[in-house]
Amino acid sequence: MTIRVMLVDDQMLLRTGFRMVLAAQPDMEVVAEAGDGVEALQVLRGTPVDVVLMDVRMPKLDGVEATRRICSEPDPPKVLILTTFDLDEYAFSGLKAGASGFMLKDVPPGELLTAIRAVHSGDAVVAPSTTRRLLDRFAPMLPAAGGEPRHKGLERLTDREREVMVLVAQGLSNGEIAARLVLSEATVKTHVGRILTKLSLRDRVQVVVLAYETGLVRAGGHG
């Protein structure tokens, strides 16, 4: 099945570069492009898209607000935020807005293609090292942890599920969590699935955001 990709960036040169990389893939097709968030929303109304590569800094409507509006629609495409090191606050806002992940603009082509395929298949794309750096920097801006977390759904988690959630929030992969807790990777995947269901979350990205917002995990990455 061909992955239908939309490129949203106000720099035509960047869009051209991405289009060339994607066009060489047998399982991908660039079906739409836009130079700003407003144009992106208009194009999406009439074009079926699976994955949107979304720049954050654009005129008229930035990528974060465009992502929020796209993800509030029924059956929306997946959104992959493209950012740079000095724009991490936008990446975090984009994740809260509903993006399935974020990548750096200078990412090697192979990693970008892997990320697009992963997002399309339902996975979240947030590299562990980037997650830790990003959230350690912005966790102080989130509500301070005082007593028990406020999200009622957390009370429904078992001790093991809460343990897994903390490790997910620290940016560990299923394999790394399995090794840490001496479990099979399949068991970890089951735990993650139950966490998503119990907390009504879409993916691992939302687990990370919720864990930090509720104080389950604090700056420095410790639960």
Side-chain angles (χ1 to χ4, degrees):
M1 187 172 78
T2 302
I3 302 173
R4 298 166 297 189
V5 181
M6 179 179 189
L7 306 176
V8 184
D9 196 300
D10 61 337
Q11 296 182 51
M12 187 176 293
L13 194 60
L14 271 175
R15 294 205 310 269
T16 301
F18 285 134
R19 191 188 325 118
M20 290 174 64
V21 170
L22 300 184
Q25 304 305 305
D27 61 338
M28 295 184 193
E29 179 186 1
V30 176
V31 296
E33 295 185 32
D36 59 67
V38 172
E39 185 183 357
L41 293 169
Q42 292 171 341
V43 172
L44 279 171
R45 291 193 187 103
T47 308
V49 172
D50 299 310
V51 177
V52 178
L53 293 187
M54 180 74 75
D55 183 27
V56 283
R57 296 186 78 178
M58 296 181 294
K60 297 182 183 176
L61 189 68
D62 66 40
V64 173
E65 181 58 30
T67 297
R68 183 176 294 109
R69 296 188 191 182
I70 290 170
C71 293
S72 66
E73 294 290 325
D75 194 26
K78 306 289 187 180
V79 178
L80 190 56
I81 295 279
L82 296 174
T83 182
T84 54
F85 276 118
D86 60 332
L87 293 177
D88 283 340
E89 60 268 32
Y90 290 101
F92 184 72
S93 298
L95 296 180
K96 289 190 66 176
S100 293
F102 61 89
M103 301 289 289
L104 298 175
K105 278 195 172 182
D106 59 357
V107 65
E111 287 185 30
L112 177 65
L113 297 171
T114 298
I116 292 171
R117 293 185 181 104
V119 165
H120 180 249
S121 69
D123 289 337
V125 180
V126 188
S129 59
T130 311
T131 303
R132 295 188 191 108
R133 178 179 52 77
L134 175 69
L135 292 176
D136 284 351
R137 178 175 165 192
F138 291 101
M141 297 158 57
L142 299 173
E148 279 298 297
R150 293 183 301 280
H151 193 287
K152 291 183 178 179
L154 292 175
E155 299 166 5
R156 298 165 55 200
L157 299 182
T158 64
D159 290 343
R160 177 63 87 188
E161 287 164 354
R162 185 179 282 235
E163 199 173 7
V164 170
M165 182 174 177
V166 168
L167 294 176
V168 168
Q170 290 173 7
L172 273 65
S173 67
N174 284 355
E176 291 168 333
I177 294 171
R180 178 81 64 90
L181 300 180
V182 196
L183 299 169
S184 72
E185 200 164 333
T187 299
V188 172
K189 191 171 183 180
T190 298
H191 283 313
V192 172
R194 287 177 181 158
I195 291 166
L196 295 177
T197 299
K198 288 183 178 181
L199 301 179
S200 300
L201 301 176
R202 187 188 65 249
D203 54 35
R204 296 170 77 95
V205 172
Q206 292 192 336
V207 171
V208 173
V209 172
L210 179 65
Y212 274 80
E213 285 189 323
T214 58
L216 188 64
V217 175
R218 291 178 280 282
H222 303 293

